[in-house]
Amino acid sequence: MARKAVLIRMDPALHKALERWAAEEFRSLNGQVEYLLREAVLRRGTKLPPPGGPQEEHDQPTGGPP
């Protein structure tokens, strides 16, 4: 599954707070925002595939051992 790029504008204070929080949890800012959005969607009762989702067909190994 391809990842989608999203442009988001936010208050500088919120950005700084999210950066600190992400650093505390050893995530990138992008990863932290995605984590928080995923948690919010799950709390609403929407089912989502696990992060990363299934690999695309061309990423899966083909054939057996050499």
Side-chain angles (χ1 to χ4, degrees):
M1 173 172 53
R3 298 174 71 83
K4 300 285 185 174
V6 177
L7 174 66
I8 183 171
R9 291 175 178 82
M10 69 178 73
D11 180 87
L14 175 59
H15 186 273
K16 188 172 222 161
L18 287 170
E19 280 185 317
R20 282 192 306 265
W21 190 2
E24 290 170 5
E25 298 194 5
F26 304 104
R27 290 191 181 100
S28 66
L29 176 59
N30 188 75
Q32 186 72 7
V33 169
E34 186 172 357
Y35 170 79
L36 294 171
L37 289 172
R38 179 174 286 279
E39 288 297 308
V41 169
L42 290 172
R43 273 192 228 120
R44 285 190 55 126
T46 303
K47 294 187 180 191
L48 294 173
Q55 291 183 340
E56 297 197 5
E57 285 183 24
H58 66 275
D59 290 341
Q60 294 184 7
T62 57

